[in-house]
C-alpha cells in the first residue's frame, strides 16, 4: 500500500489585490511505502505548499489525500504521524541539542528513561553524541541541521517530509549530509519525501524524482528516465547540468529513411546543413511528422568532435565554431555555435582552439524530439 496518495490536490492563495495565486494545481502523486522520492522544481513552483498540504498545515481547496490507505484529507496534523524538517532547522535556542531532540517525545509524554534511550540512539545515527549538551548557538550549521533531523526522526515516523533541509549548508557539507540521508533512509525503512530546488540533489537522492513547475507536476520517474526521456521541454531543460542542447529542424522522410534536417545557419554563403539519419525507433515514433518542424534535444555528452566519426549513431558532421572553452580536468566543456544555436559539448578529447571552425558528430541515438508549440516530447 502506498504511503501517500494525492488525487487532484489544489491550493489557491489570495494575493494583495485579491488575485488568485494557484500554488498547487490538480496534482496527483503516489509515494510508495518506504520510498525516497524527491520533489524538485524552481523557486515558487509550489513545493512547500504541497508539503504543507500533506502535513495538514494548510487546508486544500480541492482534491483528496490518502495516508497509508486512510483518507486523511480532514485529519488534523497532529494525528497524521508525519515528521517535518525545514530549511532552517528552527531549533529552540534556549534548549540543548538533547532537549531539542527529546521535545517531540516530551509532548507525547514518553517515559523519561525511554525518551533518553531514544535520544541517544538517534543522536548516534547522526554523529551527534558529543554535542548533546550544547545549545544551538554553540553548534555549526551542519550540526544544527542534524539536530533538526534527529528531532524529526526520534519519534520513528512512518513518513518524513523534508523541505530543502540542505540548502543553507555549504557544498561539501551538503554532499556529506546527502549521503547520510540516503544511509538513514536505508536504515529506517521510513518513507521520505524530500523537496529541493537543486536538480543535482534531486537526482542524487531520489529513487524517483517528481518534477514540478508552476503548481503542476511535469513528470515522475526514476532519475535516469527523467534525464534520458524527459516528458517535455521544461523537464529537459531543468534536469541536467550543463543543460541539454536544443535545435529546431524539419523531419524529412524519403526512400532512404527518416532524417532530421537542420535549418541553414544564418549568414550569407553558409553551406547547406546536413540531414541526420534517425534510428528505427525514432522513425516509427515520428512517422506522422514528415515535413513538420520539431525541436531536437541532445545531451552534452552525445556530441563528439571530428575529424572522424566517433559516434556511430551519426552519419554526417555538422559545422560549428568554438566560442568558449572550460578546462575542468576530468573533462573539457566547449561552447559551440552550431546551426545558429549555442551548444555545450562535454569531451575528454583534445579540443580545437577558441574561434576555430570545426565539425562535430551528433549521436542521435539518445536524442529526444519535442513539439515546437506545446513542448511535449514526441514519443
Ligand atoms: P516553493 O516552495 O516551490 O518555492 P511555495 O509553495 O512556497 O513554492 O509557493 C508557491 C506559490 O504560492 C508562490 O507564488 C508563493 O508566493 C505563493 N504562496 C505561498 N504561500 C503563500 C501564502 N501563505 N499566501 C499567499 N501566497 C503564498
Ligand atoms: Mg519552498
Amino acid at each position: 500500500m502506498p504511503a501517500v496518495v494525492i488525487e487532484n490536490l489544489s491550493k489557491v492563495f489570495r494575493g494583495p489585490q485579491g488575485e488568485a495565486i494557484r500554488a498547487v494545481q490538480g496534482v496527483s502523486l503516489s509515494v510508495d511505502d518506504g520510498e525516497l522520492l524527491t520533489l524538485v522544481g524552481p523557486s515558487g513552483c509550489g513545493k512547500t505548499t504541497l508539503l504543507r498540504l500533506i502535513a495538514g498545515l494548510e487546508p486544500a481547496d480541492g482534491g483528496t489525500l490518502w495516508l497509508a490507505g486512510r483518507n486523511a484529507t480532514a485529519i488534523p496534523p497532529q494525528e497524521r504521524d508525519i515528521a517535518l524538517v525545514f530549511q532552517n532547522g528552527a531549533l529552540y535556542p534556549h534548549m540543548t541539542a538533547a532537549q531539542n531532540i527529546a521535545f517531540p517525545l516530551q509532548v507525547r509524554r514518553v517515559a523519561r528513561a525511554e525518551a533518553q534511550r531514544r535520544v541517544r540512539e538517534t543522536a548516534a545515527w547522526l554523529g551527534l553524541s558529543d554535542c548533546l549538551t550544547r545549545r544551538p548557538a554553540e553548534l555549526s550549521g551542519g550540526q544544527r541541521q542534524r539536530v533538526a533531523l534527529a528531532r524529526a526522526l526520534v519519534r520513528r515516523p512512518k513518513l518524513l517530509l523534508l523541505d530543502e533541509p540542505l540548502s543553507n549548508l555549504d557544498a561539501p557539507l551538503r554532499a556529506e549530509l546527502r549521503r547520510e540521508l540516503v544511509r538513514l533512509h536505508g536504515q529506517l525503512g521510513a518513507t521520505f519525501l524530500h523537496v529541493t530546488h537543486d536538480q543535482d540533489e534531486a537526482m542524487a537522492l531520489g529513487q524517483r524524482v517528481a518534477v514540478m513547475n508552476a503548481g503542476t507536476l511535469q513528470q515522475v520517474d526514476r532519475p535516469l528516465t527523467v534525464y534520458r526521456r524527459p516528458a517535455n521541454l521544461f523537464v529537459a531543460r531543468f534536469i541536467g547540468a550543463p543543460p541539454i542542447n536544443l535545435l529546431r529542424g524539419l523531419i524529412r522522410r524519403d526512400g532512404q529513411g527518416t532524417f532530421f534536417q537542420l535549418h541553414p545557419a544564418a549568414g550569407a554563403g553558409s553551406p547547406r546543413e546536413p540531414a541526420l539519419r534517425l534510428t528505427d525507433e525514432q522513425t516509427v515514433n515520428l512517422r506522422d511528422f514528415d515535413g513538420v518542424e520539431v525541436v531536437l534535444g541532445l545531451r552534452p555528452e552525445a556530441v563528439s568532435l571530428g575529424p572522424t566519426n566517433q559516434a556511430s549513431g551519426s552519419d554526417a558532421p555538422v559545422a560549428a565554431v568554438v566560442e568558449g572553452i572550460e578546462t575542468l580536468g576530468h573533462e573539457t566543456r566547449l561552447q559551440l555555435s552550431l546551426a545558429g544555436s549555442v551548444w555545450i559539448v562535454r569531451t575528454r578529447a583534445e579540443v580545437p582552439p577558441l574561434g576555430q571552425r570545426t565539425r562535430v558528430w551528433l549521436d542521435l541515438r539518445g536524442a529526444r524530439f519535442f513539439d515546437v508549440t506545446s513542448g511535449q516530447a514526441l514519443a
Side-chain angles (χ1 to χ4, degrees), residues 13-14 21 23 41-50 58 163-164 195:
F13 292 111
R14 290 288 152 193
I21 300 168
S43 179
C45 75
K47 306 182 294 296
T48 295
T49 305
L50 188 58
E58 202 82 71
D163 194 359
E164 313 223 16
V195 162

Side-chain angles (χ1 to χ4, degrees), residues 43-93:
S43 179
C45 75
K47 306 182 294 296
T48 295
T49 305
L50 188 58
L51 278 200
R52 291 175 59 82
L53 292 174
I54 295 172
L57 302 175
E58 202 82 71
D61 290 308
T64 318
L65 169 72
W66 304 80
L67 295 173
R70 195 160 67 124
N71 187 335
T73 317
I75 292 179
Q78 62 275 15
E79 289 168 30
R80 292 192 183 191
D81 192 21
I82 291 176
L84 275 150
V85 181
F86 297 104
Q87 185 169 339
N88 58 359
L91 303 176
Y92 298 107

